[in-house]
Amino acid sequence: MKNTIENYNEVGKALTCVTKHKEINETRKQLSVSKMKANLEKLAKDNNLHLDPEFLKSLALVLNYGFQDQLEVQMTLENFIVSANLNRLNLREREDLVIRKYSRKTEVDFILFGIITQYPSKKPDLFVDQNKNTEPANIKKALMNLISSISSIEGTFTGRLNNEIIIDPIALYTEV
């Protein structure tokens, strides 16, 4: 995913070049090289194959920081989303080959076996200071508030959704 985002515009231009080859050749006869590159970029934009480079750079940074190149699978179970982060070292095949075979949004039914590590509950957050208007009375309370703040930032990336169950996977497989 990271590679796709980092190279989105280049891949977009390449796809445009391949899919609009005839049109480009006709235009090439009429334009100089510099105008041709601008025209290729315009064609890519017109086909939604070009995004703002600064946006792509920022998105790649946020994804790299927040998700650190995780490989996550998600499944639906009634009204819940079941998520599991996989360890690439435990895959029998390379990740790109698995994605090529099954797709990012697969149509194959998988069975996920593992241990539930997070699930929807109504437990109070022990790290939230209930009396926020006062200064922390001691270092322990200050650290708990800091942990709560850091947890909130991390939660924007990896926080569990209200209807999400997170599994520590033992096995992920398909039935024959």
Side-chain angles (χ1 to χ4, degrees):
M1 179 81 73
K2 178 182 171 190
N3 189 34
T4 301
I5 290 169
E6 288 176 342
N7 296 301
Y8 187 87
N9 288 339
E10 292 303 313
V11 171
K13 278 194 241 180
L15 284 171
T16 301
C17 189
V18 170
T19 59
K20 304 285 185 181
H21 184 69
K22 185 178 177 182
E23 186 180 327
I24 290 169
N25 273 341
E26 291 172 7
T27 307
R28 185 174 281 146
K29 294 173 189 173
Q30 301 167 0
L31 299 174
S32 67
V33 174
S34 62
K35 288 182 181 178
M36 185 60 209
K37 285 184 180 179
N39 191 42
L40 183 59
E41 190 170 303
K42 182 184 180 321
L43 278 172
K45 284 179 181 178
D46 291 346
N47 289 290
N48 295 322
L49 294 172
H50 187 278
L51 295 173
D52 175 32
E54 189 63 31
F55 168 77
L56 292 173
K57 183 180 174 185
S58 297
L59 182 59
L61 177 68
V62 167
L63 289 176
N64 186 45
Y65 171 79
F67 299 104
Q68 296 149 6
D69 212 20
Q70 295 176 32
L71 176 58
E72 181 179 273
V73 295
Q74 290 185 338
M75 303 172 165
T76 56
L77 175 68
E78 296 180 11
N79 295 328
F80 293 96
I81 297 170
V82 178
S83 302
N85 285 306
L86 304 180
N87 183 340
R88 286 176 175 82
L89 298 175
N90 295 332
L91 296 176
R92 289 192 335 212
E93 298 173 320
R94 289 188 342 254
E95 176 186 352
D96 61 331
L97 185 57
V98 172
I99 292 170
R100 177 84 175 140
K101 284 182 180 180
Y102 297 105
S103 155
R104 289 197 188 273
K105 291 186 174 184
T106 188
E107 296 174 11
V108 176
D109 289 332
F110 280 88
I111 296 169
L112 175 62
F113 180 71
I115 299 166
I116 297 173
T117 58
Q118 296 180 45
Y119 58 92
S121 80
K122 304 245 188 243
K123 289 184 182 178
D125 186 352
L126 299 176
F127 291 106
V128 174
D129 187 0
Q130 304 300 330
N131 197 1
K132 290 186 178 192
N133 295 333
T134 62
E135 301 239 348
N138 59 37
I139 191 71
K140 185 174 184 177
K141 196 175 268 191
L143 286 174
M144 288 177 69
N145 287 339
L146 178 62
I147 290 168
S148 180
S149 296
I150 290 170
S151 179
S152 293
I153 292 171
E154 289 174 341
T156 60
F157 295 105
T158 59
R160 185 185 52 75
L161 302 172
N162 291 337
N163 65 335
E164 185 176 24
I165 299 170
I166 299 179
I167 305 285
D168 181 11
I170 295 171
L172 177 69
Y173 58 93
T174 60
E175 289 186 324
V176 186

